[in-house]
Amino acid sequence: MDFDESGSRLLTQEFIAVILAGFGNELTPLTYNHGEEPCPKALLPIANKPMLHYPLSWLEASGIRDVLLICPTAQKAAVTHYIRSDASTTAFPSLRIDLQVYGDTQDIKGETCAVLRNFAHKIKQDFVVLPCDFVPSPTFPLTRVLDKFRTEAPYDGSIATTCFHEWQKPEKGTSIEEWNSVPIPMPIVWDEPSGTLLHIDTPDDIDRNDSSIELNMSLLSSYPKVRMSAGMLDTHVYVCRRSILDVLHEKSSFDSLREEFIPWLCKPQYSRSKRRKYGSSLSPSSNSPSQGLALQHATLHTRSMQPSLHISSTSSAGEPRTAPSSPIDSEDDIEDRASLRVGIVVHRTQDGYASRANTLYSYLELNRHFLAQTSWTLPSDAESRAMIDSKAQISTDSMVGHTTKVEERTSIKRSVVGKHCIIGKMVKIVGCVILDHCVISDGAKLDGCILGKNTKVGTKAELVRCVTQAGFEVDAGETFRNDKLEVADWTATQESSEDNEDSGESTDGE
Amino acid sequence: MPPKSSTGKEKDLGGEEEVLQAVILADSFNKRFRPLTVSKPRCLLPVCNATLLEWTFESLALAGVQEIFVVCRSFPEQVKAAIQDSKWSKPASGIKIVPIITSKQTFTPGDAMRDIYTHSIITSDFVLVMGDLVSNVRIDEVVRIHKERRKTNKDAIMTMVVKESGVSHRTRSKGDSSVFVLDAHTSECLHYEPIIGVPPTKHIRIPREILAEHPEVQIRNDLIDCMIDVCSVEVPSLFQDNFDYGDIRRDFVSGVLSSDLLMKNIHCYVAQEGYAARVADTRSYDAVSKDILSRWTFPLVPDDNHPSGHLYEHLRGNKYIAKDNTVSLSRTCKINSNSLIGSHTSIAAGATITSSVIGQRCTIGADVVLHNAYIFDDTTIGAGSVIKQSIIASKVEVGEGSVIERGSLVGDKVVLGKNARLGPFERVSRRKEDVLKELGEDGEDLEEDEDSEDEWEEVEKPHDHGEHLDQENAPGILGEGSNGIVWPQGPPEDDEDADEVERFDNQRLMRLGDTASDLEQSDDEDDDSSAYSDSDTETDASSFRPFSHTSSRSSFSLHSSTFEAASSSLHGLSDAAAEQEFRNELKQSVKRAFEENHSLDNAAVELKTLRMASNGKLRTVREVVVEAVVEKMTIVEGDAQGQRKEIAEVVDRWGELIDRIGGVDHEETIEILQHHCAKSARLPLFGQILATLYQEDLVDEDDIRAWHTKPEAKGEGKHPKHGATLEGIKHCWSVGGKMIEQFNAQESSDEDSDEESEDE
């Protein structure tokens, strides 16, 4: 007997994770090229850790091993460097990361659907799509989403499970208007008891009817008690059946996973004609043994498959036992049993802060969130500590990376300072995110800024609520407010950054 | 603890000051129970041997209501008498019941509410219910919550009691249901969407602005709306202010929720427990009866708290037999479960009774089979008859060996001969004369009622026309010696005019015994409605089958085609009549405005609403206004200056009204003015009026030119209307011509304009 072999067969991975890393158009100018070098969105640091660290460690904790990381060609070198670095191999020892690139050569410009179609051949089993920018709350394990899919997919015919998090309106007065408009969440409709996502109101729907939201009556007759909310944001985490990719190939007109495909995927759940047309390809009957039969006969198991039953069990007082069965209602249930459910896991804010770093605003907020969590994070090695002048005031809710030099009488409050920065004397930094290798000269004042890497700030310059492109230089004594500062007069960069812009038109904020 | 109890008493006394009032709208305002309701109001139809009105009283009494107003429209005398006889009128009942009789012109619940307002009987928050309610929901609890809410929010004017069930509860009508959008936390109703079954409502539209204020809402399609509303005092006055509110849900609730001006809130109370249902149609009649028999309405069950005070013995299998030992059951008859048998009823040998309700003093012959049948009091069923899923009213005689198929309704005192064969969904009543004779005074009301007049006509027409059919077929259906007539099946002639809910196909969903499986009911949206080339537009072939009546007689379709032509010309006539009536109303309104010297705003609003109300044409309004303004000018003989002054005054005061009726069309104004002047004594004034209008900027030079070039203005083409003389028209045209000449002259001589045209 060869135990080893059978053992490895048993270990066939249940899921493969697909991480989509895009150009980060919403995060410009941070993601514009620095000279010839790209600044990949996936590697922008949040609390001094690359963004990609967060979804990867989420995956690590969930037990998924295979990761298909897809990023634009231009970013390949930088991302490879990160994956092979000590930091990531120690943090994610069990992940097998397969880095794939897309770009101009393959005629894909970054539409999420197209990317998935292109790499469908690499996906042999059920898969999890993740963005590179989702920062989950520590109390929210990926297994919660996976488990919902695991229970529903085999016996109930669920085809996908999505994950939404509660969204808070930014308070008024924060600097968002000047930077980027914060996308207002698309209203969604879902069924709470069974956790079923039923409708996403897409921008197309708004174009069709901007005064009211249209809902199909067939939705409401199969799910009579639903919730609708305009306060839920898509985390872009989708656990999907492999069969979805076949349908994705069929629907070649879809570009965006989030705005087009997933909303469409909700419809076969209740639309009879769509179910007839796509039901078999979405949910091919498998011969693999499942607990389906057992679960159906289980008396303790709540059958979320038939929502009406579910509800009636709570309000049986009014439910007639002797109701004549009407032939119209039950027809479809017999026709095909698979629910084609698109599950939804709702992550409420009270369970912890989670967000995608897909806008400048949320990027800054996430950084601030981590500052509030940790306290007094200074480099631990003596060498780096020695570079911080003892007369510098660094508040406990700040973070300073290693090998960063902070000179005397400089104060840093509520800010993240990256690695290898040089901060002069008498500098005031409040509520900022300063990326690596920045140089800030004496007497500069920074308030609520995000500085791209290698930004140089001259003496006594003042920046309030500004975002700078990597390598930007602020001259001595200059003052900027509420501005996006881009390297404009750097001819070499100009070209490549424009290329970047064009090529990343619809990355969908990956 | 004596001290404490005394404080409690004080509180009780404080609470007693406010009497909880309830208003019952006893009329149904529809015809779903015809012909059972030709000689009786719907609220007096018995359900499980107690009238609907009594069930409603019982439900309200359970809720602690102390004063009840019953608004009745049809057969008010019968309702009054019924209230007198009921146990609630006895002095010890603790409830005061006051009947309120409204006029025959009360066609909608909204009208009834306006009537309540004018009676000004409502002193505090009250409970509004329909006269067909069977409920054991604790309404007093809802009233308490409502009052509590009112303390903090004065705008919370109404709380609707809805019962949580499921999509397809048997008392939840498929044909007339609704979707509520509620705030998840406050259960404030944010949006109301009525749903009908045929043609199926495919979409609901929820206004986006709701989400701006309420980020998370619930959309509920699983609520039974049994029309129990706890209303504040201002609700009737809102009906008074908005005279177009008809239905309480579709007009009032939708109106209040969608209005930006009213700023009122309506809340829902979702009853988790208890039972509440309306007997709104024959299908729910069946459902509610079954629910009562299977004791969902406890404590309102036949063996306890029977609203009519009958006593029944509850036997195993939910069989109820009158307790006073007057029921005579033969040894070989078989009573199956879910049945109720009233006192003094005798059931002969071999009869089988399943899931049926039999009234008092009935005689059921030998070997009769009753299956899901409802037999009212004093009815005799001849031996060997078979009755399935039908309602047989009181004092009916069904001949031996008759067969009555599902869904049939047999009206009061109908006699069916031997071997009558009623197909499915047949409706039988006596002839109109018989009904009227007996009704006496109330019958006169019936005669006045235009609506029912038409209805009778339609019922009796096919038979008058096809006498031979009557003779050959009627005995076949109704048996020898029957006094009944069969009501036509299929949609009535004016089906298209009816409210969407009341149309025939939709009503079929509310019909007893009708599975309506041949109707397209899929609420699925078949069209993908998107730009994708591979859209999923397939017809839902499996659920669609061509519509076919289940009628056993094909004769009616023959008739309906012959009447089509006649009815269309009738329609034309009635259109003209409607237009004339509209015109008269407009004239009255303008006259009143002149006499009482209304402001322009008020006069304009009144005209606009009139037009909305009767869906009239804008041109008609314009004609009336122009004519009225012209007629307002008195003719001053021989004093050109005075005449000019008079015209200027009138136009100055009222001229602007012409442009404020909801649309501006100066060309039409001139044309109307021309036609009117041509037939009136004010023909000579045409030029002056036109000039004044021009000065007041009510018409422009371009308009005059445009009008002048039209062939109609010259008097060519069409015949002048309404006695306008051709000469008059031509005269006006030439006057206009002169004016245009002047305009031309002015243009060439540049700018000395105004004086000259005034001189004209």
Side-chain angles (χ1 to χ4, degrees), chain A residues 28-93:
Chain A
T28 56
L30 288 178
T31 46
Y32 284 152
N33 285 9
H34 172 224
E36 293 291 317
E37 260 176 63
C39 298
K41 173 188 177 185
L43 299 184
L44 286 180
I46 295 173
N48 281 346
K49 281 176 190 157
M51 214 179 256
L52 193 56
H53 170 87
Y54 296 95
L56 285 176
S57 55
W58 208 33
L59 284 172
E60 174 78 30
S62 75
I64 292 178
R65 297 179 69 180
D66 293 311
V67 179
L68 184 62
L69 177 60
I70 306 173
C71 72
T73 316
Q75 300 177 359
K76 186 177 184 183
V79 175
T80 316
H81 177 261
Y82 168 69
I83 292 169
R84 302 230 176 111
S85 71
D86 279 354
S88 73
T89 43
T90 50
F92 323 114

Side-chain angles (χ1 to χ4, degrees), chain B residues 681-706:
Chain B
R682 286 159 179 76
L683 180 57
L685 304 185
F686 175 76
Q688 289 179 350
I689 296 170
L690 190 57
T692 323
L693 289 179
Y694 173 71
Q695 277 166 32
E696 293 279 333
D697 278 335
L698 292 170
V699 296
D700 294 333
E701 190 183 323
D702 293 343
D703 303 321
I704 300 177
R705 286 178 194 276

Side-chain angles (χ1 to χ4, degrees), chain A residues 219-294:
Chain A
L219 185 163
L220 286 175
S221 35
S222 19
Y223 295 88
K225 181 183 176 181
V226 295
R227 277 170 181 266
M228 178 165 73
S229 170
M232 294 290 166
L233 272 177
D234 196 345
T235 59
H236 208 287
V237 175
Y238 309 120
V239 188
C240 305
R241 275 209 181 186
R242 174 65 178 79
S243 57
I244 277 183
L245 288 174
D246 303 335
V247 181
L248 192 62
H249 272 293
E250 234 175 285
K251 304 290 270 184
S252 54
S253 57
F254 286 135
D255 287 335
S256 164
L257 211 55
R258 183 174 65 96
E259 289 185 356
E260 289 170 300
F261 186 62
I262 297 292
W264 178 85
L265 210 55
C266 293
K267 292 190 173 148
Q269 293 180 85
Y270 46 84
S271 163
R272 257 158 287 188
S273 53
K274 284 207 178 65
R275 165 180 285 261
R276 254 196 304 284
K277 192 163 173 188
Y278 298 103
S280 54
S281 47
L282 281 173
S283 172
S285 52
S286 57
N287 295 323
S288 66
S290 69
Q291 310 113 301
L293 195 67

